[in-house]
Amino acid sequence: MASPSDHKATIIDGKAIAQTIRSEIADEVHHLFQKYGKVPGLAVVIVGGRKDSQSYVGMKRKACAEVGIKSFDVDLPEEVPESELISKVHELNANRDVHGILVQLPLPKHINEEKVLSEISLAKDVDGFHPLNIGKLAMKGREPLFQPCTPKGCLELLARSGISIKGKNAVVVGRSNIVGLPVSLLLLKADATVTIVHSRTPDPERLVREADIIIAAAGQAMMIKGSWIKPGAAVIDVGTNAVDDPSKKSGYRLVGDVDFHEACKVAGWITPVPGGVGPMTVAMLLRNTLDGAKRVIEQ
């Protein structure tokens, strides 16, 4: 019999799954164009020059091009007045060729994020962050027009890996508006028993050890150790943390919120960082944009 130290978790290849989804989307975009002569349009709005934001936006625009979605690029300077950003959003709301509007977060300090996001037309809120979309996500028997991309990507990874959610103990580590909170709402909708662990939780390890499904989204490098993981659990690692690594040309490498090497020895399934959740976030954004376009074009 193999000793426990030989155990290897199944690696969930987010990059490959996202590629499959992107080719499904590309086919649908093609059919839409053949039938109606129209293509989905996504406006990507970025304010200021944050390196990480620039890189995410670049990935999103490139992905659009790859599947045939038209990208509307809006690049605004760091010091743009809030009112000007909002009137830009109104302009995109009124543009019939734009089916999705994404404002890259975080916004500069002088801009009220909630105010800006509330101005995005509900029917174009492909990020799923409009307060009304989040509200519907939270309520039983209601469905938002769009589910937030990263949480939706997490559930899609579970689904496409054949991992059922119903009746399972799911622990979400982190309670951000972007991942922790909405992913816990999606898991609840999928009939999991959900626990949210956060910075004020006294004994996170005790709770995480009970989980059949762990969604790690705390933004703390390698916080979740192998010893925290129940044997056979499914681990979705949303964290992307840069840690110093002199051997790398950039001087750093990316790690998740889970100690990947240790976790592989115990978990049933695990997503790598990079190459796990990241590509799925972009794929779900494309999916949401296509769905928004279909509602308008096919009606």
Side-chain angles (χ1 to χ4, degrees), residues 227-241:
S227 60
W228 292 30
I229 296 167
K230 174 169 154 179
V235 181
I236 305 291
D237 192 349
V238 186
T240 41
N241 310 289

Side-chain angles (χ1 to χ4, degrees), residues 136-155:
K136 287 187 178 186
L137 188 63
M139 293 171 87
K140 214 176 160 176
R142 311 270 171 97
E143 289 299 332
L145 280 173
F146 301 103
Q147 296 176 352
C149 303
T150 301
K152 185 177 181 168
C154 292
L155 269 78

Side-chain angles (χ1 to χ4, degrees), residues 64-128:
C64 281
E66 190 191 309
V67 299
I69 290 174
K70 182 169 165 45
S71 176
F72 294 78
D73 302 346
V74 181
D75 296 77
L76 300 168
E78 181 83 30
E79 56 286 346
V80 71
E82 180 180 274
S83 58
E84 200 175 308
L85 173 57
I86 287 173
S87 60
K88 199 77 213 165
V89 167
H90 289 166
E91 199 180 299
L92 296 167
N93 283 343
N95 185 336
R96 299 187 55 171
D97 296 326
V98 172
H99 304 100
I101 300 168
L102 175 141
V103 176
Q104 184 65 41
L105 304 178
L107 289 167
K109 291 277 180 279
H110 70 278
I111 295 176
N112 179 337
E113 199 167 278
E114 187 184 358
K115 196 172 168 195
V116 173
L117 295 180
S118 304
E119 292 295 333
I120 296 172
S121 155
L122 263 180
K124 298 187 181 190
D125 173 37
V126 285
D127 246 346

Side-chain angles (χ1 to χ4, degrees), residues 141-264:
R142 311 270 171 97
E143 289 299 332
L145 280 173
F146 301 103
Q147 296 176 352
C149 303
T150 301
K152 185 177 181 168
C154 292
L155 269 78
E156 190 73 29
L157 286 173
L158 293 169
R160 293 199 184 223
S161 304
I163 299 158
S164 71
I165 298 173
K166 193 180 181 141
K168 298 279 183 67
N169 283 337
V171 173
V172 178
V173 185
R175 53 175 165 180
S176 73
N177 291 334
I178 293 179
V179 187
L181 181 82
V183 83
S184 55
L185 296 173
L186 278 178
L187 288 162
L188 194 56
K189 265 208 199 303
D191 297 325
T193 302
V194 183
T195 306
I196 303 174
V197 165
H198 49 78
S199 58
R200 299 286 180 269
T201 305
D203 186 2
E205 178 178 352
R206 182 179 62 84
L207 291 163
V208 172
R209 289 188 73 139
E210 295 296 306
D212 305 306
I213 296 168
I214 300 167
I215 312 277
Q220 295 286 328
M222 293 165 65
M223 162 190 163
I224 296 167
K225 305 291 170 210
S227 60
W228 292 30
I229 296 167
K230 174 169 154 179
V235 181
I236 305 291
D237 192 349
V238 186
T240 41
N241 310 289
V243 298
D244 292 333
D245 185 346
S247 74
K248 289 269 191 280
K249 202 168 90 176
S250 60
Y252 67 89
R253 64 191 161 92
L254 290 180
V255 299
D257 289 352
V258 177
D259 186 325
F260 183 78
H261 186 69
E262 279 186 19
C264 279

